[in-house]
Amino acid sequence: MQYLVFRLYGPMASWGEAAVGGDRPTAQYPGRSAVLGLLAAAMGIKRDEQDRLASLANSVHVAVKQLSSGVLMRDYHTAQVPSQDKKIQHRHRKSELSVHESKLNTVLSSRDYRCDGVWVIAISLAPGHDVDLQLLANALVKPKFTLYLGRKSCPLAAPLMPQLIETDSLKNALDMEFPSLLKSPQEDQSWLHLPRQQHYYWQGDKQQIHPSSNSVVRTLQRWDEPGNRMKWQFSSRDEHQITINKE
């Protein structure tokens, strides 16, 4: 089977989860919605192009290997927003701030980030797909829109280095070696404090990762299947997870 494999690294990343009130938590690893958003940006698909976004989502399966979840950082965030006025529709930030100072309110929130996390992503094609893995790889090398790790304030800090590989094992695809981020694997280890445990997340066949392993596979419910990105609507899906100790 053919896989498109690439690596994500940045000093900061934010993989949004369900937000309640002013808190904006982050998952430890990129979910399906985050990866689909990154692919869509690389291909130049806009948020309001629902048909193209749905075609992409229906065409690919996403798997993630977490080399390191990084360190949690919480940012205390303030923002000014105008009072609600049904007669005025603000289409950009400049318009919001043009409102008289007396009508501006301060919103308080906390936003979570993962610092120095490293993840490997494997993309495979679903039956009846409408996309080509080589075209996706080309788009990741020369993206149409700027790519970032969950938020615009979280840029990539290393090349994605997308590669197409043929293998009969999803685990082999996710275990593909990438060049060191620094001068050597030893420097990477001392700098990033890479743990001995590696976590794998995937969708589809539960036995796809480790048919001969004694490790326990957990099935999780994730609310990251994109429905309408303009309205921020997402549905649930099943995702499998396994933890394997490095040799």
Side-chain angles (χ1 to χ4, degrees):
M1 187 171 184
Q2 190 176 51
Y3 295 92
L4 168 61
V5 185
F6 55 94
R7 178 178 62 184
L8 299 178
Y9 166 72
M12 293 174 61
S14 185
W15 311 119
E17 291 194 306
V20 178
D23 293 333
R24 297 294 183 268
T26 175
Q28 293 190 358
Y29 62 96
R32 177 170 164 80
S33 176
V35 176
L36 288 174
L38 186 135
L39 294 175
M43 297 173 66
I45 303 177
K46 298 180 180 179
R47 288 182 180 273
D48 58 357
E49 295 182 285
Q50 292 298 317
D51 290 342
R52 295 184 67 192
L53 289 172
S55 175
L56 174 63
N58 294 331
S59 295
V60 300
H61 290 157
V62 176
V64 179
K65 177 183 179 181
Q66 179 177 286
L67 297 174
S68 172
S69 64
V71 179
L72 178 65
M73 184 190 79
R74 177 160 292 174
D75 174 41
Y76 177 70
H77 189 88
T78 65
Q80 287 188 304
V81 296
S83 300
Q84 186 175 8
D85 188 341
K86 295 182 179 180
K87 297 180 180 179
I88 302 176
Q89 184 176 8
H90 300 284
R91 298 186 180 276
H92 46 75
R93 184 63 175 154
K94 183 178 180 181
S95 173
E96 287 185 339
L97 294 178
S98 67
V99 175
H100 191 274
E101 185 176 350
S102 63
K103 295 185 178 181
L104 288 177
N105 306 301
T106 300
V107 175
L108 309 180
S109 68
S110 62
R111 306 193 177 193
D112 292 350
Y113 299 88
R114 307 301 308 188
C115 299
D116 286 328
V118 186
W119 303 271
V120 175
I121 312 297
I123 304 296
S124 58
L125 295 178
H129 57 83
D130 292 326
V131 300
D132 180 80
L133 288 182
Q134 184 62 64
L135 294 179
L136 284 179
N138 295 341
L140 291 174
V141 173
K142 294 184 177 181
K144 298 291 182 63
F145 298 144
T146 301
L147 305 183
Y148 47 86
L149 303 178
R151 292 186 183 277
K152 291 183 178 179
S153 59
C154 303
L156 294 164
L160 294 173
M161 303 188 69
Q163 299 184 45
L164 293 177
I165 65 170
E166 289 279 353
T167 177
D168 59 357
S169 167
L170 174 58
K171 185 175 183 298
N172 288 344
L174 289 169
D175 287 342
M176 191 184 77
E177 294 290 335
F178 285 86
S180 300
L181 291 166
L182 295 179
K183 294 181 180 179
S184 68
Q186 292 74 23
E187 290 194 41
D188 280 4
Q189 178 65 52
S190 62
W191 171 45
L192 295 171
H193 303 288
L194 298 176
R196 293 191 59 82
Q197 289 186 328
Q198 296 178 341
H199 304 279
Y200 297 77
Y201 305 89
W202 72 100
Q203 60 186 121
D205 183 2
K206 190 174 183 178
Q207 302 301 318
Q208 198 171 3
I209 287 281
H210 73 303
S212 61
S213 172
N214 293 323
S215 302
V216 177
V217 177
R218 300 170 59 217
T219 299
L220 315 169
Q221 187 180 51
R222 298 292 308 276
W223 287 84
D224 62 353
E225 183 67 47
N228 188 312
R229 286 191 177 271
M230 295 295 293
K231 298 180 180 180
W232 295 98
Q233 294 176 340
F234 301 90
S235 59
S236 66
R237 66 181 178 91
D238 287 338
E239 180 179 76
H240 310 301
Q241 183 266 334
I242 188 172
T243 299
I244 299 177
N245 293 323
K246 292 170 59 179
E247 299 179 356

